[in-house]
Amino acid sequence: MRTIDDFDFKNKKALIRVDFNVPLDENLNVTDTTRIKAAKPTIDKVLKDGGSCVLMSHLGRPKGKEEKFSLRHIVSEVSTILGVAVKFAEDCIGASAENAVDALQHGEVLLLENLRFHDEEKSGDLAFSEQLSKLGDIYVNDAFGTAHRAHASTTIVAQFFKDKKCFGSLLAKEIESIQKVLHESEKPVTAVLGGAKVSSKIGIIKNILDKVDHIIIGGGMTYTFIKAQGGKIGDSICEDDKQQLALDILKEAEEKGVKVHLPIDVVAADAFDDSANTQVVDVDKIPDGWQGLDAGPKTNVGFSFVIAQSKTILWNGPLGVFEMPRFAKGTIELGNAIADATADGAFSLVGGGDSVAAVKQFGFDTKVSYVSTGGGAMLESLEGKTLPGIEAILN
Ligand code: AMP
């Protein structure tokens, strides 16, 4: 796996695909700079070597050229974070981009206009990719969040760089952490799968059954499994058409020697509301009119016990409706258990879908080994799919 550390960028122009798809407020100010900060190590390395950086990214979902999606709005924020005055090119291809690149001196940074102002970016157009390729000597992909898309800047452009292409440090870290969990894991390996629906996790479950020792199932997914086993789930969320699938998963897990841990008790509420009446009940005896919204106390003790013995932990999805404080306890207790296990030497990876929101909200992001930045890309990796953006660098 080639990374930026395998190249000397002295006197070279690095064409770097970054993920600067950041949220902006109504005054077009950046409200969350996480993604810009995440790209800094790669940019710093190129500049330190004595090279220059041509940064390309998308922002939002523009239909053609829409001023509110111009990357011009983030130039000053990027300059502040990098500590370098960032230049801006009015377009990502053509004369304005090429002239700006030609004028770029070593130690300088240029940001190109939004790639998605051209439909050819998303369609992965070859001619458009070739135009992009003229803007750098070495192609660096550091955008994990779009690595599952075969777009021009994430995938197709790579073919114009033969052996002059590599992963940026952020993307390399994402790949390494997936590798650590799925392929080079220290046993016992535990996957925690929570969140709302079985249907959105089924690909992950199927892929990891060969790789893990324990699967903890929580959150809204629980009830499809419990109902399929004949339990009473009251008004809890359930995907009736996935019951057979749930039974098939349990059978396959048993055949493969994977221990599946489901909640034994839950906090049930008489409405989907933070001020609802609540009671703790057995997971398979939820009265009609009540719905399970969080893991119960016995469940939390049991899950923490499994986590404490694990050496590798993958966490995807909350154990309850954590957005409502009264149903956040299961998620918080699980996060604490994972934090403790990590402090004791386990490797823990959080990612895929929306899990990162829960982890950040409760401050666990600094207490786990790695928090993935790429929701959909991480999900697809965990499902065992090869991401086109990664493949394009490896080829
Ligand atoms: P996901 O994006 O699939 O990881 O799902 C996350 C969502 O699942 C969160 O917004 C939670 O509120 C929701 N969730 C977790 N547990 C439950 C539950 N028992 N009932 C309904 N929704 C839940």
Side-chain angles (χ1 to χ4, degrees), residues 6 60 121 144 393:
D6 298 311
E121 161 64 0
F144 183 65
I393 300 278

Side-chain angles (χ1 to χ4, degrees), residues 193-198 200-201 218-223 235-238 266-267 272 291-295 316-324 327 331 351-356 358 379:
L193 298 172
K197 290 180 171 175
V198 183
S200 62
K201 312 281 160 148
M221 276 206 293
T222 306
Y223 307 100
D235 295 353
S236 305
I237 186 174
C238 180
V266 294
V267 179
F272 190 81
Q291 52 187 302
L293 293 184
D294 196 10
N316 173 291
L319 291 194
V321 185
F322 73 96
E323 296 93 338
M324 300 185 202
F327 308 112
T331 302
D354 290 332
S355 333
V356 177
L379 272 184

Side-chain angles (χ1 to χ4, degrees), residues 150-172:
H151 293 170
S153 69
T154 64
T155 302
I156 313 299
V157 71
Q159 62 191 263
F160 295 99
F161 288 88
K162 292 208 170 68
D163 55 351
K164 294 203 165 38
K165 55 188 176 184
C166 63
F167 297 109
S169 65
L170 174 67
L171 185 41

Side-chain angles (χ1 to χ4, degrees), residues 87-273:
K87 303 188 165 179
F88 184 70
E90 301 291 330
D91 200 349
C92 61
I93 53 163
S96 62
E98 288 171 27
N99 292 341
V101 169
D102 285 345
L104 200 64
Q105 302 297 310
H106 306 308
E108 292 186 335
V109 177
L110 172 72
L111 176 62
L112 303 176
E113 181 56 288
N114 195 341
L115 291 156
R116 290 198 189 165
F117 282 177
H118 295 265
D119 293 343
E120 291 87 347
E121 161 64 0
K122 282 177 83 174
S123 65
D125 184 80
L126 195 63
F128 176 76
S129 305
E130 188 174 13
Q131 293 221 52
L132 290 176
S133 75
K134 293 182 191 165
L135 306 176
D137 306 309
I138 300 168
Y139 170 65
V140 181
N141 190 351
D142 208 20
F144 183 65
T146 47
H148 58 318
R149 308 271 184 234
H151 293 170
S153 69
T154 64
T155 302
I156 313 299
V157 71
Q159 62 191 263
F160 295 99
F161 288 88
K162 292 208 170 68
D163 55 351
K164 294 203 165 38
K165 55 188 176 184
C166 63
F167 297 109
S169 65
L170 174 67
L171 185 41
K173 256 192 249 151
E174 295 273 354
I175 297 170
E176 277 162 18
S177 65
I178 296 164
Q179 193 74 10
K180 266 195 177 167
V181 166
L182 293 186
H183 305 291
E184 297 158 6
S185 47
E186 196 183 334
K187 286 176 164 286
V189 185
T190 299
V192 184
L193 298 172
K197 290 180 171 175
V198 183
S199 50
S200 62
K201 312 281 160 148
I202 189 66
I204 303 186
I205 300 179
K206 291 217 147 150
N207 185 44
I208 60 174
L209 275 177
D210 287 322
K211 303 175 169 76
V212 302
D213 305 292
H214 299 271
I215 295 184
I216 290 176
I217 290 177
M221 276 206 293
T222 306
Y223 307 100
T224 303
F225 282 86
I226 299 298
K227 187 170 176 187
Q229 290 176 311
K232 264 184 72 290
I233 61 163
D235 295 353
S236 305
I237 186 174
C238 180
E239 288 169 283
D240 282 332
D241 60 332
K242 295 290 179 291
Q243 288 187 57
Q244 186 54 48
L245 188 65
L247 294 177
D248 292 346
I249 290 169
L250 294 175
K251 186 158 169 272
E252 195 181 335
E254 193 179 352
E255 285 164 6
K256 292 188 163 159
V258 178
K259 189 122 185 42
V260 178
H261 307 267
L262 280 154
I264 43 179
D265 60 349
V266 294
V267 179
D270 60 359
F272 190 81
D273 193 312

Side-chain angles (χ1 to χ4, degrees), residues 11-27:
N11 296 335
K12 301 282 183 220
K13 286 175 179 159
L15 177 64
I16 311 179
R17 178 48 160 107
V18 289
D19 181 2
F20 284 176
N21 182 28
V22 291
L24 302 178
D25 64 16
E26 63 276 17
N27 299 318

